[in-house]
Amino acid sequence: MDKNVGNLVSCGTDGRIRIWNVICANKVNKWRLISKFKAVFRDCDGVLSMATDPRNIYLITGDTLGYVRVYDLEDYYSTYDSTPANSKKLQPAQYEQFPFLQLKESIDKNHSQHSKFQPDGGAELGYPAVLLNCFRAHIGPVLKVCYSDAKGFIVTATRKGQTRLWSVAGTYLGSLDTTENARDAHPISNTNRGRKNIPRDIRRAASPVTLH
């Protein structure tokens, strides 16, 4: 990243992510909107929360439908008026780390009516950041998302205080609600072997394979 260049990311109830390019040179600030893209399934949904990791590799968002999305921000518009490195093809290691990318074709069929899964990523301006993962974290709106750099996991929270922990790849790690942890625990047995350990409400509303 050019030391004189910064990126500002904003979101809103219109369901779009906006990325602004800012440069400070000779004590003069210049800025421009470099990309705007839809980051929700339905036109009535909005993006309520965002977070990045300390190295600005990931952009994590939470929306009104309960979905969490993880975008690749590494080297995204690294210089002023540049083309993003993320416009290149995904790397094999990313397919291994994020199962969502391998299942995207089947998810695409289920959500074919949503512009987010169109070939251009639903972009309305410029290049959208590469979507690495998308999963259902809550049934209600996700009001807060945070990234724990020490542990490498995502924390999500709702209006009712429901707080859950997820890996960046979308694996459910647990809840800060001990009652929910006990209720959703599944000891390994022949009857539930291979069953994905996910919250009960998500299990009722989403596929245990894709979390959609």
Side-chain angles (χ1 to χ4, degrees), residues 68-71 97-101 116 130-135 154 167-171 210 212:
V68 169
R69 289 168 174 79
V70 180
Y71 294 92
Q97 182 180 2
F98 298 98
F100 166 81
L101 297 174
K116 184 177 73 63
V130 172
L131 180 63
L132 297 174
N133 198 10
C134 176
F135 60 93
I154 298 170
S167 72
V168 176
T171 301
T210 65
H212 277 261

Side-chain angles (χ1 to χ4, degrees), residues 10-18 40 42-49 64:
S10 63
C11 64
T13 55
D14 63 351
R16 287 161 176 79
I17 299 293
R18 291 171 173 83
V40 293
R42 306 177 303 183
D43 291 337
C44 60
D45 290 324
V47 180
L48 300 180
S49 53
T64 53

Side-chain angles (χ1 to χ4, degrees), residues 6-27:
N7 287 335
L8 174 67
V9 184
S10 63
C11 64
T13 55
D14 63 351
R16 287 161 176 79
I17 299 293
R18 291 171 173 83
I19 299 181
W20 309 78
N21 208 198
V22 182
I23 183 172
C24 180
N26 299 322
K27 298 183 179 181

Side-chain angles (χ1 to χ4, degrees), residues 36 133 174 178:
K36 179 179 69 172
N133 198 10
T178 55

